[in-house]
Amino acid sequence: MAYIELRNVSKSFGTGKDKTEVLSNINLTIEEGEFVAIVGFTGSGKTTLINLISGLLMPDEGQVLFKGEPVTGPSHERGVIFQNYSLLPWLNVRNNVGMAVKEAFKKMSKKDRNKRVEDYVEMVNLSPAIGKLPKELSGGMRQRVSVTRALSMSPDVILMDEPLSALDALTRGNLQQEILKIWNKDKKTALLITNDVDEGILMADRIIPLKPGPKATLGPEYKINLERPRDKTALNSNDEYKRLRNSIIEYLIQIGEQRSSKKETTYTLPEIKPQIKSTPFRRLSFS
Amino acid sequence: MKDKSINILNFIGLGFFEPAIRLASGEETKKNLVALFKKIVLPILSVGLFLLLWSAGSSHLYNIEKEFRIEKAFNERGEAAARLERSCIDSGSKDCQITTLPSPSQVWVAYKSLLADHASISAKKDAFAEKVAATNVKRAEQGLDAITYTGRPSFVDQIFTSLKTVFAGFLLALFIAVPIGIMLGLSESLRSSVNWLIQILKPVSPVVWLLLVSMIVNTLGKNSDGDSSFTISFISVGLCAMWATLVNTSMGVSSVDKDYINVAKVLQLNIGQKVFKIILPSSFPLIFTGLRITLSVAWMVLIAIELLAQSPGLGSFVWEEFQNGANDSNSKIIVAMFVIGIIGFLLDRIMLTIQKFVTFTEET
């Protein structure tokens, strides 16, 4: 039985004339312990897809199944790492993480909860900043807190909605390694949404491109049979990596072109000729 | 020490003293001198200019009034009377003093006389308390009310009465507007159902609120003796001033960032936790802006309401002085004007400081 399963899922926004079908007929199965990456253009409905799986949105048609049960709303079993961190600005790192721990482990004693918070903050090397407010942290540090918050609830699945896209390239590389390190410990099921093919190949077992919306559907999947742990610099000279990267990018460029050619509309211009009534400014003559 | 005091000053909104402190510690003399000039010297100069214009204006008004009187005496009673009038005015005798816009120096004199008056009244009060202390003990044994001083309140007493009224009104506004605002913010149907009512009641003048409140309070308070003017004035102040908080609270609560709501959903917070841990903290900045406006509106309408309701305070002080028409009445009114302005400024600064304490700032 698949761990997460999407059956013929469709989702639209708006009503009447403004109705746009963002996702159409999505079928996806993720097995337990698998790391799946979904790669797509911006605006192709990636966030909608992850909101459907997390339970923040309900599908119009089709079913989202988690462990064989339909998803009816958000749950602690599916931890979400948001694109824009979504840390509460009035709480420091400890309380941001502590709030999640408190909700996920209601019966835990206060001491144990504090211990858990500190352990998880330690795991992402943020212990020195545990008393700081989000505004005092850099983007990378904030996203680490967000990762910690999601993981501290010990979810069965980690859903990542472009977690690293707002970060600079160097921080991004570091955080990729850190997330992989944490993931390697207990090999939880993970779904990563990204717009970076390299990131997908580095981190995932499987990459599925999302064709651009409206009416986005999933493209053919690419299995990544690269030995873990993967080293970013070593990968650059790996032939399998190069082959995968090229074929995925080629596919994306191809569907990207389809989208842009589809959008071409011809507008008929009204036949108007400029009428010169007067010359308010003297013409400059360059003789 | 230096950085700490600068931080404190900035925190309470008196950051313009910063260059003075930096200069005193001999830091970047040239830059801080320029800053000092901009932030302290220029404002002082402009205050000086204001005083100059004021005194020129008042002396001009004084001359108009004087010439008019002399002219009138000349027309009615002849040249000798006019000469007499002029010498009388110039001598500064109280019989023919001219009342018009007082000059800054007159106001300063009035200010000092008000302080002296306060000192003498407090002395009288103390003496009175001493005198009746023994009697009051006896009366308390017999179960009677204590005898209290019922003499004229001093200007300083009036200030404190006004502050008491404004805080009572402010708290009333706080306890009505914030809970209702939260409820309105949470429920869109509730918000749209009372929207018209709020829009209509919001611009109603303080005077009308006062009349409305006194209609209700007078009927309800038929059986109780005692002065209802305090009740009437603080309720009116509260009702006038609460709208800013009400509107801001409901707006803040209804426009919480969707990301935070998603966090609440993912963490599966219940409705109470969602309100107290997510919605309220994130709308605190807007609620506090509303409360600041409420306090300044409360202070502004208070004066008008006290004036009309004849409840003790600065408003009735101003009105009584105006009715009184004594030689220094006008000066006392101007003193009251400045006191009202300065207290309003201080109240706003206090609210700003509290706001900085309890709310977060999004980004730095």
Side-chain angles (χ1 to χ4, degrees), chain A residues 1 10 21 29 39 43 97 105 118 161 167 177 200 207 212 231 233 239 278:
Chain A
M1 188 182 65
S10 299
E21 195 172 1
T29 50
V39 189
V97 179
F105 303 97
E118 280 158 20
D161 181 11
L167 303 175
Q177 295 299 345
I207 290 188
D231 180 63
T233 17
D239 289 333
S278 62

Side-chain angles (χ1 to χ4, degrees), chain B residues 11-24:
Chain B
F11 199 79
I12 59 175
L14 297 174
F16 43 82
F17 286 121
E18 187 183 326
I21 293 173
R22 286 194 190 279
L23 207 60

Side-chain angles (χ1 to χ4, degrees), chain B residues 241-289:
Chain B
M242 71 176 202
W243 302 102
T245 303
L246 184 71
V247 171
N248 268 31
T249 306
S250 75
M251 201 169 82
V253 169
S254 64
S255 64
V256 174
D257 197 327
K258 206 163 169 274
D259 291 342
Y260 303 154
I261 300 288
N262 277 347
V263 170
K265 279 185 188 164
V266 170
L267 298 185
Q268 290 184 296
L269 301 180
N270 63 35
I271 180 78
Q273 287 172 314
K274 195 171 142 190
V275 170
F276 284 102
K277 290 190 170 170
I278 307 277
I279 292 175
L280 272 186
S282 82
S283 44
F284 253 158
L286 264 179
I287 295 178
F288 253 89
T289 312

Side-chain angles (χ1 to χ4, degrees), chain A residues 190-243:
Chain A
L191 178 67
L192 171 75
I193 300 259
T194 180
N195 52 20
D196 182 353
V197 176
D198 294 354
E199 186 175 290
I201 300 176
L202 178 71
M203 299 178 82
D205 298 323
R206 209 150 44 105
I207 290 188
I208 306 169
L210 185 68
K211 289 183 191 165
K215 291 199 175 184
T217 51
L218 291 175
E221 63 170 50
Y222 294 82
K223 278 250 187 264
I224 318 253
N225 294 315
L226 292 168
E227 198 77 2
R228 282 181 196 273
R230 297 166 187 163
D231 180 63
K232 207 170 184 181
T233 17
L235 275 184
N236 280 333
S237 52
N238 186 316
D239 289 333
E240 171 68 5
Y241 170 80
K242 283 186 200 160
R243 190 191 62 78

Side-chain angles (χ1 to χ4, degrees), chain A residues 50-122:
Chain A
I50 217 150
N51 283 347
L52 285 169
I53 299 171
S54 68
L56 286 170
L57 288 175
M58 288 293 131
D60 294 341
E61 279 168 46
Q63 269 187 312
V64 179
L65 300 173
F66 175 65
K67 293 185 188 169
E69 299 284 321
V71 169
T72 50
S75 146
H76 297 153
E77 294 170 314
R78 297 182 298 276
V80 187
I81 298 171
F82 295 99
Q83 181 176 5
N84 44 11
Y85 328 132
S86 297
L87 299 176
L88 303 176
W90 55 90
L91 296 180
N92 61 19
V93 172
R94 179 191 291 279
N95 291 337
N96 260 303
V97 179
M99 195 177 194
V101 173
K102 197 175 172 187
E103 283 312 306
F105 303 97
K106 284 191 172 129
K107 284 172 190 156
M108 208 183 247
S109 75
K110 204 172 176 186
K111 213 178 120 198
D112 289 349
R113 278 204 299 251
N114 279 339
K115 175 89 175 50
R116 193 181 173 84
V117 170
E118 280 158 20
D119 287 349
Y120 270 87
V121 172
E122 174 67 44

Side-chain angles (χ1 to χ4, degrees), chain B residues 81-93:
Chain B
R83 220 176 290 127
L84 202 66
E85 184 80 22
R86 184 184 291 277
S87 65
C88 175
I89 290 171
D90 286 343
S91 73
S93 145

